[in-house]
Amino acid sequence: MSTDPVCGMSVKAESPHRSVHDGVEYRFCSARCKAKFDATPAAYLQPLPPAAPAAAGVEYTCPMHPEVRQIGPGTCPKCGMALEPVLPDLAEEDDSGNREYQDFRHRFWYSLPLTVVVVLLAMAGHRLDGLSPAARSWGELLLSLPIVLWAAAPFFVRGWQSVLRRSPNMWTLIGLGTGAAFVYSVVATLAPGLFPASFITHGRIGVYFEAAAVIISLTLLGQMLELRARSQTSAAIRSLLGLAPKTARRLNADGSEADVPLADVRVGDRLRVRPGEKVPVDGVVVDGGSAVDESMLTGEPLPVSKRVGDKVIGATLNTSGSLVIGAEKVGAQTVLAQIVQMVAQAQRSKAPMQRLADVVAGWFVVAVVAIALVSFFAWGFFGGERGWVFGLISGVSVLIIACPCALGLATPMSIMVATGRAATQGILFRDAAAIEHLRRIDTLIVDKTGTLTEGHPRFERAVGNGAIAADEVLRLAASLDQGSEHPLADAIVRAARERGLTLDPVEQFDSSTGIGVHGQVGGVRLCLGNTALMEQEQVAVAPLRDVADSLRGEGASVVYLAGGGRLLGLLAVSDPIKASTPEALATLRAAGLRVVMATGDGHVTANAVGRRLGIDEVHGEVKPADKLALVDRLQRAGRVVAMAGDGINDAPALAKADVGIAMGTGTDVAMNSAQLTLVKGDLRGIARARTLSVATVRNMRQNLLFAFLYNALGVPVAAGVLYPAFGLVLSPIIAALAMSFSSVSVVGNALRLRHSGADAEAAGKGQP
């Protein structure tokens, strides 16, 4: 797995989209990203350090520019912001592991006493007997030196780096503002004779050491608050990382048991899970029975009964009985590891809404510097006797109050909190675009098997055509279905084995996705599937049509078995509707969504299920291409379409839909094609996800509005537009306080999403 240098998304090794630049091969998630890279590779490679293996250290990224990746901590070459781990470290939960926070806190507390003394000297030093004006200036200079040269050193380093990289940012403005105030004050202290008499205040040339010192201290404080707030946005993913137990109890071949580190567990190991312990890895129960609490991963509050043969998920809690499980997935293959990876990927993606902020931020610093210069010279030439003094104050205030970070953090912080919140409810967004788009859906297409139903069909009966016995129909169908992974096939094979029927090997097995299977059993070519397959094979189903319609009217799925060009019989399999489905559909309809069912089952079966669930628009016997065409037709009609499914046959429609929704209980192909995965496979999660989408987009808009208004109002006030009417000149100190507050307030507003009402009771009530 590597990272796309254009969009920052993870890319699998088998990706066909590749380019070679300077002897290094780069992989891309799509042809679009590859084309962008091929056009201007330097634009994407400049911020990135040489590739290093993941084992060499932790991978870090920028919250504002997720395409920037490097091994180990550092600062973003674009915005100068402190990088943070792609996957947060559990040790950083109390800030003890956050190097940036620790460094700024150290500089803040050591420089704060000096700042206080400088401010006191500047404000009240003229009242001290025996302290000359020149001595005051020298005292402030000496006390300010360690603040500017040591405490603010990271600011100036990042500001200078931004100039070298031609990527101006917040540190450019802070460096210019504090540097201008400090250099002016040093010159005024060392050579006061260079300044006209109008610059004299309280017997000396006015200096602004206290402004530079306070701006630096406030910036350090603001960065500390921002870093702490940003660390809380990863609380959800840290909680997921903390779910996995550290050890597992392994049963050895000699009958003994031993606790081993989780990293030492291998596929096939037999593990004991005692009451009150967490299931160590994904596996299947081979002995015992219990109730397992899966709420930490699925959001489902009630424990789930587990018996021999049932699947269990790693990190879930065994509540009562003792279990012995066989390990099936370990390490990065477990559900928990995949959830963590998916959440981290979503958190580091950019929302489409951020594009406007990115465009503005690209010109922001240049515009602010221009406004500061215009303000300085306008005051100097037209501001009267003390115009140049006011010009200096206004110019520094403009530079300090402007904060591009507020714009840059507006949507990433909301996305990070929202994806973490969703993960705790068993809802996994692939990227930020999925969150933003989900609120707009007005039509939901749902598959039947595994989506509306449990996806664990039960064999009902077999019917032979003519003299063929029912058991022979079942035996031949089961023999053919041994090569299939479809839930219906599993039910048929399981029923045949339970009845003790002898299955023949299948040869030349082939699957026609969505309609059935072919193969050779006992030297005879058989085909098993729906009416569409029979029509394709030119096999007449009329002899059993009435029986099939009767079974379908009861909600069963019917498949025909044909061999040698003639109909041999049919098999009926029923799939119970999920208990949560009626409530989920009622909630979605109440939210204004049009629900459409599209299934490969026959029309009679599909309509029977549709009537039972109150779904008016039902499409039966649809192939994967038909589902894809249905999505396309609805989109061309102006509908915003979501598709929910769990099978390979749903993958094309999931990819085509505005938002594809995969059931976590389904196939990997479906989940890879979807933008949203419901871990539990419960449709109620769609309503929860949509409500969270509405809240998240509202939160992003609030952040962007605040950032735009803050700069639109703050910069002109700092430039002095209120002075003619109100006599108000904004102090650089107040500007620094406002600048620090802007970023912290944006992050703080995003953190409100952690307590969003996106739960079962509130689901469906929000509207876009």
Side-chain angles (χ1 to χ4, degrees):
M1 190 78 72
S2 63
T3 301
D4 189 318
V6 176
C7 66
M9 294 183 65
S10 297
V11 185
K12 293 183 178 180
E14 59 268 23
S15 172
H17 309 295
R18 306 182 179 209
S19 283
V20 177
H21 181 75
D22 289 342
V24 179
E25 183 181 70
Y26 298 91
R27 293 191 291 271
F28 308 89
C29 65
S30 66
R32 185 176 181 180
C33 284
K34 178 182 181 299
K36 287 184 176 180
F37 178 86
D38 290 340
T40 55
Y44 301 104
L45 297 180
Q46 180 190 2
L48 299 175
V58 179
E59 187 177 26
Y60 281 69
T61 187
C62 173
M64 283 174 52
H65 302 93
E67 68 275 11
V68 175
R69 300 287 178 107
Q70 73 173 41
I71 301 299
T75 57
C76 176
K78 292 186 176 181
C79 65
M81 184 174 289
L83 301 181
E84 52 191 37
V86 174
L87 291 177
D89 190 342
L90 289 174
E92 293 189 10
E93 190 166 5
D94 58 357
D95 298 313
S96 61
N98 191 322
R99 298 182 185 178
E100 183 85 0
Y101 175 85
Q102 293 297 322
D103 180 50
F104 280 178
R105 186 174 70 170
H106 181 73
R107 294 174 188 273
F108 172 75
W109 287 113
Y110 274 87
S111 63
L112 183 61
L114 298 176
T115 300
V116 172
V117 176
V118 171
V119 171
L120 290 175
L121 276 177
M123 297 179 63
H126 60 281
R127 299 180 182 177
L128 298 176
D129 295 334
L131 187 63
S132 68
R136 285 170 50 207
S137 296
W138 276 99
E140 291 178 35
L141 169 59
L142 293 175
L143 291 169
S144 299
L145 276 174
I147 300 173
V148 175
L149 299 183
W150 174 72
F155 304 170
F156 293 109
V157 170
R158 296 179 189 184
W160 179 244
Q161 288 174 343
S162 72
V163 174
L164 294 179
R165 291 171 176 148
R166 299 180 182 177
S167 180
N169 51 50
M170 180 184 79
W171 305 109
T172 317
L173 300 178
I174 293 175
L176 286 173
T178 55
F182 183 74
V183 171
Y184 163 82
S185 301
V186 170
V187 174
T189 301
L190 298 178
L194 298 177
F195 297 86
S198 60
F199 279 56
I200 297 176
T201 304
H202 297 299
R204 64 172 181 168
I205 301 298
V207 292
Y208 298 98
F209 291 117
E210 84 286 357
V214 172
I215 289 170
I216 291 168
S217 292
L218 287 175
T219 303
L220 287 168
L221 177 61
Q223 287 297 297
M224 289 165 54
L225 295 174
E226 181 188 322
L227 287 166
R228 291 200 65 176
R230 278 168 50 190
S231 70
Q232 294 177 44
T233 62
S234 299
I237 199 169
R238 272 200 298 265
S239 68
L240 288 172
L241 288 169
L243 289 176
K246 302 297 184 292
T247 61
R249 191 165 189 82
R250 185 164 59 193
L251 279 64
N252 299 318
D254 59 3
S256 63
E257 300 180 8
D259 290 330
V260 297
L262 196 63
D264 291 346
V265 176
R266 299 290 180 265
V267 174
D269 285 352
R270 298 172 72 245
L271 309 171
R272 185 179 300 282
V273 188
R274 294 168 292 193
E277 291 183 337
K278 290 183 177 180
V279 177
V281 296
D282 296 0
V284 61
V285 178
V286 296
D287 188 27
S290 182
V292 176
D293 181 359
E294 299 179 342
S295 60
M296 62 283 295
L297 293 180
T298 66
E300 177 61 47
L302 298 178
V304 181
S305 178
K306 299 292 183 182
R307 297 291 181 265
V308 174
D310 290 340
K311 302 282 187 179
V312 289
I313 305 173
T316 54
L317 181 65
N318 181 26
T319 61
S320 51
S322 178
L323 297 173
V324 175
I325 68 170
E328 291 188 332
K329 294 181 179 180
V330 300
Q333 302 304 314
T334 64
V335 169
L336 176 62
Q338 292 176 9
I339 288 175
V340 169
Q341 182 61 38
M342 189 175 291
V343 173
Q345 177 178 305
Q347 288 186 338
R348 303 305 176 184
S349 60
K350 278 193 176 184
M353 195 179 293
Q354 180 67 20
R355 292 170 186 165
L356 176 61
D358 288 344
V359 172
V360 173
W363 295 95
F364 185 86
V365 175
V366 176
V368 168
V369 173
I371 293 171
L373 290 173
V374 170
S375 175
F376 174 71
F377 286 110
W379 274 104
F381 289 119
F382 307 109
E385 185 179 359
R386 293 181 57 78
W388 291 106
V389 175
F390 287 145
L392 178 65
I393 295 173
S394 296
V396 171
S397 297
V398 168
L399 292 171
I400 296 301
I401 200 171
C403 184
C405 283
L407 282 173
L409 292 171
T411 66
M413 293 298 101
S414 299
I415 293 299
M416 288 190 70
V417 178
T419 49
R421 164 80 176 171
T424 63
Q425 297 181 331
I427 302 166
L428 305 178
F429 288 99
R430 170 175 286 189
D431 52 34
I435 297 179
E436 189 171 332
H437 291 155
L438 185 62
R439 83 192 196 285
R440 298 172 48 244
I441 65 169
D442 53 32
T443 302
L444 173 65
I445 301 174
V446 290
D447 178 43
K448 182 180 79 70
T449 305
T451 303
L452 297 175
T453 63
E454 292 180 357
H456 301 293
R458 295 194 297 262
F459 174 77
E460 294 290 339
R461 60 181 292 199
V463 178
N465 183 25
I468 301 176
D471 278 357
E472 179 63 10
V473 172
L474 175 59
R475 189 187 73 82
L476 291 174
S479 298
L480 178 59
D481 264 341
Q482 290 178 99
S484 174
E485 295 182 354
H486 195 280
L488 294 180
D490 182 65
I492 292 171
V493 173
R494 188 167 60 249
R497 287 173 174 164
E498 287 174 354
R499 298 186 183 192
L501 302 178
T502 302
L503 305 186
D504 294 331
V506 59
E507 299 175 347
Q508 301 177 13
F509 179 84
D510 186 30
S511 173
S512 298
T513 304
I515 60 173
V517 295
H518 310 262
Q520 191 165 322
V521 176
V524 178
R525 184 178 182 276
L526 301 177
C527 57
L528 179 69
N530 60 18
T531 306
L533 179 62
M534 295 300 108
E535 291 176 353
Q536 180 178 302
E537 295 290 325
Q538 298 182 346
V539 174
V541 298
L544 295 177
R545 180 173 288 123
D546 292 342
V547 178
D549 289 345
S550 175
L551 291 168
R552 288 168 178 154
E554 298 172 2
S557 297
V558 174
V559 291
Y560 294 100
L561 176 67
R566 66 188 185 92
L567 183 67
L568 300 180
L570 62 76
L571 301 98
V573 180
S574 65
D575 189 3
I577 293 172
K578 293 177 182 177
S580 61
T581 295
E583 178 191 345
L585 293 178
T587 302
L588 292 168
R589 281 192 288 264
L593 267 68
R594 169 186 174 187
V595 180
V596 179
M597 185 174 79
T599 175
D601 282 337
H603 293 289
V604 178
T605 301
N607 288 325
V609 174
R611 283 193 302 271
R612 194 180 307 174
L613 294 174
I615 300 175
D616 297 326
E617 186 175 346
V618 175
H619 299 268
E621 295 191 5
V622 295
K623 303 175 184 177
D626 298 327
K627 291 184 180 181
L628 181 64
L630 176 61
V631 172
D632 182 63
R633 177 166 57 81
L634 289 169
Q635 288 175 331
R636 284 189 282 108
R639 311 292 294 191
V640 183
V641 182
M643 169 71 194
D646 75 328
I648 294 175
N649 59 325
D650 299 317
L654 289 171
K656 172 65 176 174
D658 295 284
V659 179
I661 304 171
M663 304 294 110
T665 52
T667 64
D668 290 341
V669 174
M671 287 185 278
N672 289 335
S673 302
Q675 291 80 46
L676 173 64
T677 298
L678 305 179
V679 175
K680 188 65 176 177
D682 187 341
L683 284 177
R684 289 177 296 185
I686 299 177
R688 298 190 187 109
R690 189 167 180 268
T691 302
L692 183 60
S693 169
V694 172
T696 304
V697 171
R698 184 187 303 121
N699 190 271
M700 289 192 292
R701 285 174 174 167
Q702 291 168 350
N703 284 346
L704 285 171
L705 179 63
F706 174 81
F708 278 122
L709 285 179
Y710 164 81
N711 286 293
L713 297 176
V715 171
V717 170
V721 296
L722 297 181
Y723 184 80
F726 303 100
L728 176 64
V729 178
L730 189 66
S731 166
I733 294 175
I734 302 300
L737 184 62
M739 181 271 295
S740 296
F741 171 76
S742 65
S743 294
V744 175
S745 61
V746 164
V747 179
N749 186 51
L751 288 172
R752 293 193 306 114
L753 286 172
R754 293 190 302 175
H755 311 291
S756 168
D759 50 26
E761 290 73 28
K765 296 181 181 179
Q767 295 296 325

